[in-house]
Amino acid sequence: MIRNGEKKTGTNRKRWTSWSKPLMLAIAACMTLFPANAIRASAEEPANPYVEMIRNHANNRSEWKAWMRENANPIASVPTRDKDEFADLQFLKPLLQNQRIVMLGESSHGVKEFNSVKARLVRFLHQELGFDVVAFESGWADAYAVNAQATSLSGLEMMKKSIFPVWHTKEVQSLFEYIRKQAETDHPLELAGVDMQPMNAFTDYIKKWLAEVDKKQAEKWNKLEDNYSDAVYSPELTWNELKKKRPEWIQGYEELKKFVRLRRVELSAARPDRPELASILERAIDERIRVLNDFAEARTWLYSQDEKTFEIPTSVNDNFNYIRDLAMAEHLTWLAEEMYPDKKIIVWGHNYHLRKQNTSVQDDLLYMGLPMPTLGELLPDRLKDQVYSVGLYMYQGETASNTREAVKVQSPHDPGSLEAIMKLAGRDAVFVDMKHQRPNVGNAWMFTPRKSLYWGMLEETFIPRNQYDGIIWIDTAHLPDYIDS
C-alpha cells in the first residue's frame, strides 16, 4: 500500500488515458458492493486422469442433456407454504450434513428468485441440518449489534440496520422475520456479517453503551464514526484530505481504546449480558485504524486522480477491493474459529466473493488488469476443507443494479455456456452437485472452461467445478420487491 503520504508512480501504477477514467471510476464505485472480476491469465486444467476423455466430450450437447435430465435436482424457485415445505430439498442432506460452512452466492444482488431460494435454504439448513449462524456480505460489527438486540427489534428493523440496501426486499424480510422469531427459542439463528463497510447499527449501539459511563467519550466515538464513514464511502474526500486528517482520526481511536481498557470494569457492568462487548469494540477500533491506513488510502487515491494522467493499481495490495475481500476472509475466519467455534455457518454473498479460485477466472471485463483473489480463495486451507460453495445463475429475464435500475439479462447464450447447459434440464429451477461427481461424457462440461454471465451482462470464463461445489440455476429472473426507496 501507499505509506507515509508518498504517491507511488512508475513500477506500481499503470497510466491510463483520460477517456478511461470515467469508465474505471464507474466500475470502481460499483465494486464496493458488487465488484466486477479481474482478467485472468488462463483457466486451469482439470486435475484428474480423464483429461482426454473430458476434452473429447466437452461440447457434446446430447450427452449433456441426458446427464442433466438424470442428475439435476428440481427445486422450487419461489417460497412454498406446503405442509412439507422442504420436500424438494431433502436431496441436500447427504451433500451438506457433514459441511460446517455453506456459502450461498448469487451472480447478481438484484434477483427476486435468488433472494427467495436462498432465504428458504437458510431456513432449511437451520431447521433440518442444525446450522446456527447466517453471515451476510455486510458489516460484521453492525450485524453483531443487531443480533445483540434481536428480541427488541422487529424483523424489518433487523434487516434495515444490519445488511446493505441491495437486500432490503420482501423476500429477504421474510428471512429476518424468521430470525427474529427464532431468537426466542432454544436454537436461535444467529445473525452475523463478514464485511468491513459500516452502516450505523454498531455506531449507535456503542454510543449508548459508552454514554452510560462517559457521555464525552460517547460523543467522541460518534464523531470518529462520521469521519470513518466518509473515509469508506464519500466520493468528496480527497487523497490529500485523508492524509491530512487521518493522523487525528487514528489518534482519536487509539485514545478511545485506552479509555475502554481503563474503564473496562464499569463498561462491563453496564452490559452484563454482553461480557465480550469490550473486546468486540477493541476489535472494531483496530479494524477502523487498519481501514483508514489501507482501504481508504487506496480508494481515495483512485478517486482523486486527474483525468489526463489517470493511473490504476498494478498490484492487488494497492487495490481497495482486494483489501476488502482480504478483510472479509479474516472476519469469516474469526467468526468460525473465535466467535462461533462450535457452530455451523451459512454465508450469504455474491458469487464473486464466495467462489473458490477467483484468480483463475478469465473475463472480458478488464478490472484494472489485476488477477483478484477474493474471500473464498483467501480463506485458510483449514477452513476451505469445511466449505461447500454454491453459485447461483439465471438464464433470462431482468435483474437490478445496485441502484435498483432494471437490467435485461443478456441473450442469446453461447450453447456451451453454463447457463445454456443448465437449461437442458428442462426445469424452472435446478440444483446440480459438482463436488461429488467423477468425470464422464455427460458431465465433461463441469471440468472444462465455460462461459457465464456476471450480473447477467458481463461475460467471464471458468471451470465450473473449480469454482463451486454446486450450482443453483433459475430459468427466469425478476426484479426484487424492494421495501424502501
Side-chain angles (χ1 to χ4, degrees), residues 106-109 111 114 350-351 392-400 407-411 413 419 452-460 477:
E106 52 194 37
S107 60
S108 165
H109 289 325
V111 175
F114 287 174
H350 198 284
N351 287 346
L392 272 72
Y393 287 89
M394 55 194 160
Y395 185 77
Q396 61 189 341
E398 282 187 316
T399 178
V407 178
K408 189 172 179 60
V409 177
Q410 179 181 304
S411 63
H413 293 275
E419 289 90 344
S452 188
L453 294 180
Y454 173 93
W455 222 276
M457 299 178 289
L458 305 173
E459 191 174 87
E460 53 189 16

Side-chain angles (χ1 to χ4, degrees), residues 6-7 62 64 87-88 93 122-123 136 187 202 223 231 234 243 261 276 348 419 436 441 484:
E6 294 297 325
K7 187 171 181 179
S62 63
W64 297 343
D88 60 319
K93 286 186 175 179
V122 171
R123 296 200 312 272
F136 279 82
H187 183 211
F202 187 71
K223 186 175 180 180
S234 175
K243 283 194 301 177
R261 289 176 176 174
E276 77 284 0
W348 179 307
E419 289 90 344
H436 302 91
V441 295
D484 47 18

Side-chain angles (χ1 to χ4, degrees), residues 230-232 234-243 246 292 294-305 320:
D230 284 346
V232 174
S234 175
E236 297 176 4
L237 179 68
T238 69
W239 188 70
N240 286 327
E241 286 175 328
L242 176 69
K243 283 194 301 177
R246 180 171 53 194
L292 289 172
D294 49 30
F295 178 90
E297 172 91 359
R299 192 192 70 83
T300 56
W301 184 90
L302 184 70
Y303 276 76
S304 296
Q305 295 181 68
F320 67 91

